[in-house]
Amino acid sequence: MSIVYGCYGIIPARYDSSRFPGKPLADICGKPMFWHVWNRASKCPEMDKVVLATDSEIIMEAAEKVGVPAVMTRSDHTSGTDRVLEAARKLDLPADSVVVNIQGDEPCLEPAMISELVSPFAKDGVRVTTLASPIGAEEAQSPDRVKVALAKDGRALYFSRSPIPFSHQGDGDYLLHIGLYGFRMEALETFAGTDVSPLEKRERLEQLRLLENGIPIHVTITEHSCHGVDRPEDLDTAIKILEREKI
């Protein structure tokens, strides 16, 4: 796998959350959750720098205590992508930089996943990348599990909360979308400058805005899985994984 240079990771960390207020500060093995995300992302060899982007003075102070570089952003962003863009602008990243939007609730993130995510940027013309992994038909029925259908060249044809592609036989594997994104800086600027699209609004999937505006998304299939923390009860799983790996 070719090393891609000029990569910067940004971790959006919003304090307010309807399901889990203060989630980035949740204690996992003696450190706040955002530290684990930053620590593991920083182990990816392609990353020149990984920073936290937050709207909270409390999180900023906590980041300073544990040595995590952080950028203060506005509190009125409607998505993590908008927060990532503000942070990237404050870092004054070049237009050809690769900006990786790293989910702040993935304390068990595998650094290799970021390497897989940015690998397509070794080719000319790639502007946006993401990841997917195979899942079975039963799991694919859940609208909380976003599916993606691919073209032969690995570009995304469509993302949906419905099982796609439809199977007349009722069997077959599906591809689960993993919400890590890599953007060329110019593509991130373009995305943020476009209005919410009809399909994005209908499915509540912001990546559809890219497809509707003719911006291709290159998808890498990964064998790694995510163990995101959506609710407080998910912390036990993350703690067990990190303890098993001895962090």
Side-chain angles (χ1 to χ4, degrees):
M1 185 180 296
S2 300
I3 294 288
V4 178
Y5 298 96
C7 298
Y8 300 86
I10 299 179
I11 306 167
R14 188 171 63 95
Y15 186 86
D16 291 327
S17 170
S18 58
R19 290 185 294 184
F20 195 165
K23 180 165 63 171
L25 298 170
D27 184 279
I28 298 177
C29 303
K31 293 282 179 65
M33 179 160 59
F34 70 76
W35 179 89
H36 292 278
V37 180
W38 171 83
N39 180 55
R40 294 176 78 92
S42 297
K43 292 178 180 178
C44 172
E46 286 82 3
M47 290 292 100
D48 289 336
K49 188 174 185 178
V50 181
V51 302
L52 197 70
T54 186
D55 62 349
S56 166
E57 291 286 354
I58 298 174
I59 294 176
M60 282 289 289
E61 292 174 6
E64 184 176 353
K65 287 181 181 178
V66 293
V68 173
V71 174
M72 179 62 76
T73 57
R74 304 197 317 265
S75 61
D76 59 347
H77 289 305
T78 57
S79 73
T81 305
D82 293 324
R83 193 175 310 283
V84 166
L85 174 59
E86 183 186 354
R89 286 171 172 166
K90 287 190 171 183
L91 293 169
D92 197 24
L93 301 183
D96 62 347
S97 296
V98 173
V99 182
V100 179
N101 182 349
I102 302 170
Q103 299 300 314
D105 56 4
E106 291 286 348
C108 305
L109 174 71
E110 287 289 344
M113 295 176 74
I114 301 179
S115 294
E116 294 171 334
L117 178 73
V118 302
S119 62
F121 289 106
K123 298 179 181 179
D124 293 336
V126 174
R127 301 174 68 192
V128 183
T129 65
T130 193
L131 298 177
S133 63
I135 57 171
E138 183 175 350
E139 186 177 0
Q141 303 306 309
S142 171
D144 293 330
R145 311 291 272 173
V146 178
K147 281 70 63 177
V148 59
L150 304 183
K152 288 182 178 180
D153 62 1
R155 289 184 299 173
L157 291 172
Y158 192 65
F159 297 86
S160 182
R161 297 185 182 278
S162 298
I164 56 171
F166 175 78
S167 173
H168 281 284
Q169 289 76 32
D171 57 5
D173 290 333
Y174 295 81
L175 286 175
L176 172 71
H177 177 230
I178 296 173
L180 282 169
Y181 294 95
F183 293 88
R184 286 287 182 193
M185 185 63 187
E186 58 82 19
L188 185 58
E189 293 271 12
T190 299
F191 172 79
T194 56
D195 294 331
V196 173
S197 66
L199 291 175
E200 172 189 6
K201 186 175 181 180
R202 185 167 181 169
E203 292 256 20
R204 292 190 177 180
L205 297 174
E206 65 177 0
Q207 63 269 36
L208 290 173
R209 191 190 318 176
L210 294 164
L211 299 186
E212 287 192 82
N213 283 278
I215 299 175
I217 303 174
H218 292 258
V219 182
T220 299
I221 306 300
T222 181
E223 295 181 358
H224 300 288
S225 59
C226 288
H227 302 279
V229 176
D230 293 322
R231 299 173 176 83
E233 52 265 32
D234 297 327
L235 286 171
D236 286 343
T237 299
I239 291 170
K240 289 176 182 176
I241 292 171
L242 292 171
E243 286 180 340
R244 186 167 62 245
E245 297 180 359
K246 297 183 179 179
I247 308 179

